[in-house]
Amino acid sequence: MLHLKVIPTQNPAIIKFEFPDFISQNQNFEFKNIDEAGPSPLAQKLFYLPFVKTVYISGNFIAIERYNIVEWTDVQEAVADEIESFVNQGGAILDAEKLPNKKSAVTVYGETTPNPATLKFVVNKMVTKTALEFKNIDETKASPLAKELFTFPYVKELFIDENYISVSKYDSYDWNEISVELRSFIKQYIENGGPILDETLLELQPKVEKQKIEHFDELDVTSQQIINILEEYVKPAVAADGGNILFDSYDESEKRVKVILQGACNGCPSSTFTLKNGIENMLKDMLKDENIKVEAING
């Protein structure tokens, strides 16, 4: 009879249910809803629970992210019992006939960015739904891909979002000498089913958390307007250049907006021009306040 171990994670919304043996056939799965969960009869069953937000299957565990309507301490044992009962009665964790092929054709190409130290490697498939920035290898616990990329001596920083990986190099290296090697590595890694991100190991970042819906309502009206403008008008443009921008704070008395630059935007020679002549002017116009000032706290 199956008995699961219930293991908390660094993210209080996610909990692991660990099996005594491997269950994922060397693949990683993430299901956001019941329609996506076709390859997993167990995941489909779990989505009938009203608090289940996301189901992850990897290695020897199933991890579940909950909505905030419950606490894991109140329901985790019942969920474990339901999983055990389903599997002990012969229910399938994964349906082999519906599983995607582990190896699929992947194309990767490099794009220059306004930052000469950063190259954007674009993949023909989604690699993550969670934007992540890595300053060094010690920060890569949640991303096996990032950890592998930092083993290259010329990789200084990484930013991963949607279908691209922005790589920042040290100044002593030339892109002409290293870009082909990086592109080939990323292509082969993803083609072979290498894991990109383990969300159960993802530490909550305050600078990102404050922009989530549950924290958005706690902000003042002007801060909410600024975030909406950044999300709708600015982020798509900087993402096209391999970067990202996050709202940090707004000081009403100084009319000062502080932002965080990530990826190709961080350290870019043209970032000051973009902030002052692009984003600042846009906010002045859309908020109808000529006293608005924008500054990056990390660039």
Side-chain angles (χ1 to χ4, degrees):
M1 300 290 288
L2 172 67
H3 293 288
L4 300 175
K5 290 182 180 179
V6 180
I7 303 174
T9 73
Q10 293 175 347
N11 185 336
I14 298 177
I15 200 164
K16 282 184 177 181
F17 299 91
E18 187 174 273
F19 288 70
D21 301 303
F22 286 95
I23 60 173
S24 68
Q25 303 183 25
N26 297 317
Q27 292 180 267
N28 303 300
F29 301 91
E30 175 183 343
F31 306 116
K32 292 289 187 182
N33 53 61
I34 195 170
D35 293 331
E36 292 183 0
S40 174
L42 175 56
Q44 288 182 316
K45 182 176 179 63
L46 290 171
F47 275 113
Y48 284 106
L49 300 173
F51 54 83
V52 172
K53 181 178 181 181
T54 309
V55 176
Y56 308 94
I57 301 178
S58 179
N60 67 332
F61 68 86
I62 290 173
I64 300 175
E65 181 179 9
R66 61 170 172 80
Y67 287 106
N68 291 332
I69 58 175
V70 298
E71 295 294 333
W72 273 123
T73 52
D74 296 329
V75 298
Q76 63 189 38
E77 294 303 328
V79 174
D81 289 343
E82 184 157 342
I83 295 173
E84 289 173 353
S85 176
F86 180 83
V87 175
N88 286 331
Q89 292 176 18
I93 299 172
L94 295 168
D95 184 343
E97 294 184 359
K98 295 182 179 179
L99 294 180
N101 292 327
K102 182 181 176 183
K103 187 168 183 177
S104 57
V106 171
T107 61
V108 179
Y109 66 90
E111 281 187 0
T112 58
T113 74
N115 188 344
T118 302
L119 199 62
K120 177 183 177 182
F121 292 91
V122 182
V123 186
N124 67 330
K125 60 182 289 186
M126 181 76 72
V127 295
T128 179
K129 297 178 181 178
T130 304
L132 292 170
E133 182 180 43
F134 304 98
K135 297 290 189 181
N136 54 62
I137 196 169
D138 294 332
E139 297 180 353
T140 62
K141 184 177 181 180
S143 176
L145 171 58
K147 184 175 183 179
E148 290 294 328
L149 286 170
F150 271 112
T151 62
F152 292 98
Y154 41 76
V155 173
K156 182 180 181 181
E157 296 179 10
L158 297 168
F159 178 72
I160 305 176
D161 192 16
E162 296 185 344
N163 69 326
Y164 67 89
I165 299 139
S166 289
V167 180
S168 298
K169 67 174 181 63
Y170 288 99
D171 292 339
S172 57
Y173 292 89
D174 190 306
W175 281 122
N176 292 325
E177 299 172 355
I178 63 177
S179 61
V180 172
E181 181 180 34
L182 272 176
R183 188 189 68 81
S184 298
F185 172 80
I186 294 170
K187 172 180 166 62
Q188 291 177 11
Y189 184 93
I190 297 174
E191 271 187 345
N192 291 325
I196 310 295
L197 175 67
D198 182 349
E199 297 235 10
T200 66
L201 299 177
L202 189 62
E203 295 186 17
L204 299 179
Q205 301 178 29
K207 62 188 178 184
V208 175
E209 279 293 297
K210 71 168 62 177
Q211 295 182 83
K212 291 190 174 180
I213 293 174
E214 56 263 38
H215 299 284
F216 181 85
D217 292 338
E218 301 170 6
L219 299 173
D220 60 272
V221 173
T222 304
S223 293
Q224 292 178 347
Q225 290 175 323
I226 292 168
I227 289 175
N228 287 335
I229 292 169
L230 293 178
E231 290 287 329
E232 184 173 355
Y233 297 99
V234 180
K235 277 198 175 186
V238 297
D241 288 332
N244 191 32
I245 185 169
L246 297 175
F247 171 82
D248 179 78
S249 61
Y250 171 65
D251 187 317
E252 174 67 31
S253 61
E254 296 183 356
K255 303 286 186 177
R256 187 180 305 278
V257 180
K258 292 184 178 180
V259 298
I260 299 167
L261 301 177
Q262 296 181 315
C265 296
N266 186 20
C268 177
S270 62
S271 62
T272 301
F273 179 85
T274 301
L275 284 172
K276 296 298 178 184
N277 293 277
I279 300 169
E280 186 173 288
N281 286 341
M282 179 185 295
L283 291 177
K284 286 179 178 179
D285 180 60
M286 299 186 78
L287 296 175
K288 302 188 185 308
D289 189 339
E290 287 298 318
N291 295 314
I292 291 284
K293 297 180 287 290
V294 179
E295 67 177 47
I297 63 176
N298 65 328

